[in-house]
Amino acid sequence: YLTGYKMTLPSREDFKWHLEISESTGELGGHGVGPGIKVEVEYRLYHDGPVSALTLWQCNPSIILTRSLERNEVMVFNRAKQEWAKKKPPAPDKSALLIDEKVEVPHLAAKRAMAVQQQARAFEWEEHCGECKPDLLLLGLPSKGDALDASIASEGYVAAGAEDGTVMTWKLPDASKGQAAIEQSGTLQPTEHEVRFVRFNPQQASMLLGGGDGTSLWLADCRGAEKTMLPMRPKGLEGNLYSADWNLNIPTMFALGDSTGSVSIIDIRNPSVPLHKLVGHTQDVFSVAWCPHQPSVLASGSV
């Protein structure tokens, strides 16, 4: 399933963040969610197979793009069009359903009618949630994978990487109304290694960063039929590359997580020499993310 959650947070003034170092783990951070935080399920979409990748199109947060472990295509869901994919309706009153349908007492008849309507809505919700109905399919990928990203610009570039090293791009505005699927607008073959990630630059909509196994790292321009590619070989980079994230405040800088447990900070103006190399993880770094408000704050995670 694709499940959307709505989180209610208190204001920064009302919430005191605990920045204490735990004596048992040596970690810095809060040790509880605190008061005033509420998490609710907002919608649920049935998905064909396990979700291997997911991203939102920032120009329209109702557009959800996913990849499945069981399909090669990129699936595009427009949550605004899928009206049934809302919060699960309340369960009907079971006792009210037992009331005789021929009852003549007005308030009992109304109570039974309400329960019958709720039961019908619950059945309809369960029925629709058992079907995978993407609004659009992006075709052309030769194999499965989990590399996926969508440009934040209005041009609507989408990129996905495959296990065989192929990277394909699409443009969402190319899909006319009523069109169920579109073919790729461009193809890249940077290496023969599996592509682990693709990331569009936050300011230059057509600039794509990608990488994967075998220390493969490259930049590409998605405009035009001939895709311009620039391989990068930063000094000291080892192992497979699993994750990357552009700094929103410094669009020439990105963070890179690898299989050695290191995180490298690289600037594309001089990519041969990393600005910093952060160590401390004992396992593969599968996720890195810059704070959107503080350009010097970076989070990384491993399993």
Side-chain angles (χ1 to χ4, degrees), residues 196 239-243 257-263 281-287 300-303:
R196 297 284 187 172
N240 299 327
L241 309 181
Y242 288 136
S243 55
D258 61 39
S259 60
T260 68
S262 301
V263 176
H281 288 287
T282 58
Q283 302 291 332
D284 303 338
V285 181
F286 283 108
S287 178
S300 61
S302 63
V303 294

Side-chain angles (χ1 to χ4, degrees), residues 50-293:
V51 181
S52 62
L54 178 149
T55 188
L56 299 177
W57 188 25
Q58 299 299 323
C59 292
N60 184 354
S62 294
I63 303 295
I64 307 169
L65 300 99
T66 71
R67 298 188 67 179
S68 169
L69 292 178
E70 299 180 0
R71 301 178 63 162
N72 292 356
E73 306 95 339
V74 174
M75 290 179 277
V76 183
F77 298 86
N78 187 343
R79 186 166 57 89
K81 292 183 178 179
Q82 305 204 17
E83 293 297 330
W84 53 268
K86 295 181 178 179
K87 185 177 179 181
K88 185 175 182 178
D93 185 346
K94 294 182 179 180
S95 62
L97 293 174
L98 298 177
I99 300 175
D100 191 331
E101 62 179 359
K102 296 182 181 180
V103 65
E104 296 182 356
V105 181
H107 77 277
L108 292 179
K111 185 176 181 180
R112 185 184 188 281
M114 174 68 71
V116 170
Q117 291 178 1
Q118 291 177 336
Q119 185 182 47
R121 285 197 295 268
F123 283 153
E124 182 182 10
W125 190 82
E126 291 290 346
E127 179 183 358
H128 281 295
C129 283
E131 302 176 21
C132 181
K133 294 183 177 180
D135 296 282
L136 181 66
L137 292 177
L138 307 183
L139 308 176
L141 283 168
S143 59
K144 300 176 180 62
D146 52 14
L148 176 67
D149 196 26
S151 170
I152 65 174
S154 59
E155 287 86 346
Y157 287 106
V158 177
E163 294 174 348
D164 67 348
T166 303
V167 176
M168 291 190 170
T169 61
W170 300 263
K171 289 189 69 176
L172 287 183
D174 289 345
S176 60
K177 293 182 179 180
Q179 193 171 1
I182 59 174
E183 295 288 344
Q184 77 277 12
S185 60
T187 303
L188 305 171
Q189 188 74 35
T191 68
E192 297 179 354
H193 302 287
E194 180 176 355
V195 179
R196 297 284 187 172
F197 63 84
V198 286
R199 292 290 182 269
F200 282 102
N201 187 275
Q203 288 193 6
Q204 299 187 43
S206 62
M207 181 187 292
L208 181 67
L209 171 70
D213 291 356
T215 323
S216 169
L217 184 65
W218 45 267
L219 284 173
D221 189 339
C222 295
R223 294 172 296 183
E226 296 295 330
K227 309 301 180 185
T228 304
M229 295 194 58
L230 175 64
M232 293 185 291
R233 297 178 177 83
K235 183 179 180 180
L237 208 60
E238 300 176 354
N240 299 327
L241 309 181
Y242 288 136
S243 55
D245 191 42
W246 291 100
N247 190 311
L248 293 177
N249 297 279
I250 309 174
T252 60
M253 182 189 298
F254 63 90
L256 194 64
D258 61 39
S259 60
T260 68
S262 301
V263 176
S264 301
I265 311 299
I266 299 172
D267 194 305
I268 60 175
R269 292 171 294 186
N270 185 18
S272 60
V273 181
L275 298 176
H276 306 283
K277 190 168 186 178
L278 312 177
V279 297
H281 288 287
T282 58
Q283 302 291 332
D284 303 338
V285 181
F286 283 108
S287 178
V288 290
W290 289 98
C291 175
H293 310 297

